[in-house]
Amino acid sequence: MNYNIALIPGDGIGPEIVAEAKKVLDQVCQVYGHTFTYEEVLLGGASIDVHGVPLTEEAIATAKNSDAVLMGSIGGDAKTSPWYQLEPSKRPEAGLLAIRKALNLFANLRPAYLYNELKGACPLKEEVIGEGFDMIIVRELTGGLYFGERKTFDDNGVMTAVDTLSYNEKEIRRIAVKAFDIARKRKKKVTSVDKANVLDSSRLWRKVVEEVAKEYPDVTLEHMLVDNCAMQLVHNPAQFDVILTENMFGDILSDEASMVTGSIGMLSSASLNETKFGLYEPSHGSAPDIAGKGIANPLATILSAAMMLRYSLDLDQEADAVEAAVQKVLTEGYRTVDIMSEGMKQVGTTQMGDLIASYIG
Ligand code: NAD
């Protein structure tokens, strides 16, 4: 098959880690007989340096014309980089928010997977970790409290602030459909997280999710209150497969779930729109402190590329092969410096990419 991939190397370690992900994708093409055509897109500081703005219309058009976007990370050191002398709307992060909006990315996917080999980085007790865990948080990204009407006013001499949490059934349905589709590619269980004992928006959420669930009789649905979910993530994380939730709950729970894996260099993510199109990127930032040193961990970006194969291109077998290669390098004891531990073999960014590519096919 032929696919067009927009590549956004970005800033800091971005170009180094995206180069390794591309190396792995090239190997996938060779082994499985696909052709990926790449077009590079400037975003963030890299775009400011060339065009004076963090995102151009041309960059948006290139991304829109692709089958999927693979990104490294953007941004620099806020204390030393000249990008942060610019007004906020011209800084690198503004470009990222703008491209997410332009591409209508409303579903955010954050897997939290604990590799047996990296159990030492997990802050949970051995008996809680058990056989490990493998979940994915599907968070609604463009509605709810962060996008509702807000105001601060003087109410008869008392300063008062109001934020509005609103969802309509269409917004809930489209994110629920994503979560059930993803569950079908996994262990076929959706835990929908809400606060239906208090909030009207959660009661509508629950009703619509139940309607969607009827179209997926092969997927098990359970509901969980958000406070209970926060506890269960550190009490029994293995119970989860797909967690479906609204914007603010998802913001908090996805960070909690990431932390229990303990390794920032291993965390992939994706943001999808209503079609199969998505933007795939590691959860970490551009790590300016280690940029150019050849030591950044490329695995989060490589795992994001695997998500791209699975969710945008429907190449499940190829995604499995990339994930198996990551598992194999860890089993064989190869580590970048951020996940290094005693007795393991330390490798740099390009060596890690070479190893993963060599284990495919
Ligand atoms: P960061 O994630 O870049 O770095 C935090 C720490 O983790 C640093 O010590 C860094 O060296 C380390 N680290 C991160 N990724 C690593 C990797 N792959 N391998 C090895 N070590 C790694 O967070 P920060 O320092 O708060 O932010 C730096 C810049 O990144 C800022 O400009 C911020 O705005 C930007 N940022 C961008 C994104 C994005 O592009 N989506 C996300 C978060 C932060």
Side-chain angles (χ1 to χ4, degrees):
M1 297 282 283
N2 296 339
Y3 297 100
N4 293 318
I5 312 292
L7 275 188
I8 306 182
D11 309 316
I13 60 170
E16 300 167 57
I17 53 183
V18 166
E20 298 316 307
K22 181 172 174 291
K23 187 187 283 174
V24 171
L25 289 175
D26 286 344
Q27 178 69 7
V28 166
C29 284
Q30 203 160 21
V31 171
Y32 293 90
H34 305 302
T35 305
F36 291 170
T37 307
Y38 302 99
E39 198 154 351
E40 273 205 19
V41 174
L42 294 179
L43 181 73
S47 175
I48 295 172
D49 289 346
V50 176
H51 301 294
V53 288
L55 178 68
T56 60
E57 288 300 325
E58 194 193 357
I60 295 173
T62 306
K64 277 188 177 165
N65 285 334
S66 66
D67 294 301
V69 183
L70 181 64
M71 187 178 122
S73 46
I74 54 100
D77 184 331
K79 285 197 192 105
T80 57
S81 165
W83 301 327
Y84 295 90
Q85 305 299 319
L86 300 166
E87 60 173 274
S89 66
K90 299 242 168 68
R91 292 180 191 169
E93 289 71 16
L96 184 55
L97 293 179
I99 199 168
R100 283 183 179 148
K101 193 164 177 221
L103 299 176
N104 198 18
L105 306 172
F106 69 87
N108 181 241
L109 275 49
R110 290 258 297 263
Y113 179 80
L114 184 66
Y115 289 91
N116 204 25
E117 293 77 4
L118 302 179
K119 268 184 182 174
C122 175
L124 303 178
K125 284 184 189 155
E126 190 79 43
E127 63 260 35
V128 175
I129 297 173
E131 295 301 303
F133 48 85
D134 175 7
M135 70 186 100
I136 185 162
I137 301 200
V138 178
R139 165 190 170 194
E140 203 290 326
L141 207 54
T142 57
L145 203 57
Y146 297 170
F147 291 87
E149 211 177 290
R150 74 196 63 190
K151 59 182 173 185
T152 303
F153 58 99
D154 186 324
D155 185 11
N156 287 327
V158 181
M159 283 309 287
T160 305
V162 177
D163 295 289
T164 317
L165 168 47
S166 144
Y167 270 107
N168 67 43
E169 57 182 316
K170 285 186 186 164
E171 291 170 315
I172 301 169
R173 185 164 290 111
R174 66 181 186 174
I175 189 77
V177 164
K178 282 280 180 221
F180 280 90
D181 282 345
I182 288 164
R184 273 199 170 147
K185 285 181 178 257
R186 295 173 48 94
K187 287 173 279 170
K188 297 190 171 57
K189 180 181 171 191
V190 170
T191 305
S192 175
V193 173
D194 61 37
K195 189 71 182 166
N197 52 344
V198 180
L199 302 175
D200 265 19
S201 56
S202 282
R203 284 190 273 271
L204 180 63
W205 182 277
R206 210 173 259 219
K207 181 172 169 284
V208 175
V209 169
E210 278 175 4
E211 284 166 15
V212 172
K214 289 196 186 111
E215 290 150 37
Y216 296 82
D218 51 324
V219 177
T220 306
L221 168 67
E222 67 172 16
H223 299 285
M224 190 177 280
L225 296 175
V226 62
D227 40 350
N228 185 25
C229 184
M231 290 194 286
Q232 293 301 325
L233 279 172
V234 290
H235 176 65
N236 179 15
Q239 71 185 285
F240 296 112
D241 177 21
V242 176
I243 293 180
L244 161 66
T245 192
E246 60 93 56
N247 202 344
M248 183 181 63
F249 297 161
D251 188 9
I252 299 165
L253 294 176
S254 59
D255 269 15
E256 185 188 0
S258 306
M259 268 317 294
V260 296
T261 70
S263 308
I264 192 168
M266 303 295 299
L267 295 169
S268 54
S269 85
S271 303
L272 310 179
N273 74 8
E274 226 143 341
T275 68
K276 287 205 168 287
F277 180 87
L279 184 149
Y280 297 81
E281 57 178 321
S283 294
H284 59 71
S286 61
D289 53 332
I290 58 165
K293 294 188 177 159
I295 58 170
N297 185 348
L299 292 178
T301 315
I302 290 169
L303 289 167
S304 302
M307 287 180 85
M308 179 183 83
L309 295 171
R310 191 181 306 283
Y311 295 117
S312 281
L313 312 185
D314 268 329
L315 300 175
D316 287 28
Q317 197 191 349
E318 290 79 345
D320 287 346
V322 174
E323 288 168 1
V326 172
Q327 177 63 65
K328 191 167 175 199
V329 291
L330 296 177
T331 306
E332 296 197 342
Y334 295 104
R335 304 280 188 274
T336 43
V337 65
D338 58 308
I339 51 172
M340 185 62 192
S341 58
E342 216 184 319
M344 298 296 121
K345 296 169 261 193
Q346 192 170 319
V347 294
T349 312
T350 49
Q351 288 159 288
M352 187 54 106
D354 289 344
L355 283 164
I356 302 287
S358 72
Y359 290 159
I360 292 169

